[in-house]
Amino acid sequence: MTDFGIAEALQNLGVKDINNGSSTGKNNFSNGEIIESFSPVDGKLIGKVKATSKEDYEKVMQSASESFKTWRTIPAPQRGEIVRQFGEKLREKKEALGKLVSYEMGKSYQEGLGEVQEMIDICDFAVGLSRQLYGLTMHSERPGHRMYEQYHPLGIVGIISAFNFPVAVWSWNTALAWVCGDVCVWKPSEKTPLCGIACQNIIAEVLEENNLPEGISCLINGDYKVGEFITKDSRVPLVSATGSTRMGKIVAKEVAGRLGKTLLELGGNNAIIVTPDADIKMTVIGAVFGAVGTAGQRCTSTRRLIIHESIYDKVKNAVVDAYNQLKIGNPLNENNHVGPLIDTDAVENYKNALQKVVEEGGKIIVDGGVLSGEGFESGCYVKPAIAEAKNTFKIVQHETFAPVLYLLKYSGEVTNAIEIQNNVAQGLSSAIMTNNLREAEVFLSVAGSDCGIANVNIGTSGAEIGGAFGGEKETGGGRESGSDAWKIYMRRQTNTINYTTELPLAQGIKFDL
């Protein structure tokens, strides 16, 4: 294949033929098993990383614990300055990091650049936030007393991220955690370890240039067993985990068992409702990008299209026509719309989903299949597929991380469509396409969408930094990124100051000495 500048990008990011799987700044140490990172783009080996052993993990935790003692005492606006510098480094390395994301994960180069831009945006947000970590002041019922609350850093924040957003989700957590005074220990997906090393190299430069402790940002690598080091560790008061609902339930149980805190961003089964008053052109754009963007491997990917029966055929035909125009291939080639799935296991899940929807009585209207031949040597390229189905099908209730879109039909009022949309276990992202104000307001009302994200006349995929990102039900209830999501990374403390010479007791109790 054409290199598309990958070799230069890896060199720019300091990602070579390496074996460091644990890191605090520039000090790398690992004694674990070898992890090989193969690109789903062409099947080639990018690099090898050693997994973190238990001994390695202890070194990382010692460094993080010591670094926290320094970092928490630095004023928040000064911590924000470090995050600002990190954002500037990301701007300098945006092209290189975007290419690595595209090559190691398989999303399009434009999406890779967009992911790095999200990192830059959250840094900008966090810089402003560093001067706005507000507490409240309350009126005391006791004369001569003042009450207020303040927020303090938690300590070590453990971050477990997924392959589909190998750098952005980490930054959503770390940028906020850092300005809040926390230090971070990150376990990226074992499917995208080199993206993690690249990010660690970038923040290590910033910390070194500012003579700050390396352990403010720590990296560990490995599979779920390495993740368990974090979930079982009482030194980690908060674990932020992104991944499947199955994984999230395991993490939640483990962390709750030691009375720790979790921030969970789990599965999605996202739907777009299309009413008779919808703009069909906008609907097609939103639905197609939502369903095939990142090859259907976003937690916000559109899985279900719920269409009113009066316009069902019109919308179906328009979407099918758009699918026939999709170009599948190397994601670094900007002429292509769809890249590969992350690995051959994902391909098997995709094939199984198409088989099961037919077994349950569904009908494939845009054929799927695995692509082979020149340009598809990795075996990870598949055709985006569309199936007519019912919401009650088991496979429709399940989240398949692949470009499979289910068309569902509804009749009557928009409330019927909302009921279908909500009747799944997940509750992440949702959307309605309508120019009817009443329908839009019903969708957004207390009796409307039960998802953490509800959009009108845009798709389910994507989110802005300024709003809190997350979902309900089996999506986990966590919130990351904007709004007041910062509060999860801090502990709240209520303070009372008595500036009198008397000590009144509660409920008028007398205790004279």
Side-chain angles (χ1 to χ4, degrees), residues 240-288:
S240 175
T242 303
S244 68
T245 296
R246 181 192 62 81
M247 178 275 287
K249 289 180 177 179
I250 295 171
V251 170
K253 183 178 180 180
E254 191 67 54
V255 178
R258 58 177 176 83
L259 297 182
K261 298 168 67 176
T262 54
L263 192 170
L264 301 175
E265 296 288 357
L266 310 175
N269 195 343
N270 316 296
I272 298 177
I273 295 171
V274 189
T275 81
D277 288 315
D279 182 312
I280 303 300
K281 180 179 180 181
M282 290 176 62
T283 297
V284 171
I285 293 172
V288 174

Side-chain angles (χ1 to χ4, degrees), residues 472-491:
E472 300 302 318
K473 302 190 294 188
E474 288 195 356
T475 302
R479 292 298 185 275
E480 294 173 323
S481 188
S483 186
D484 64 349
W486 62 271
K487 292 181 178 179
I488 190 68
Y489 304 98
M490 304 194 82
R491 58 181 176 88

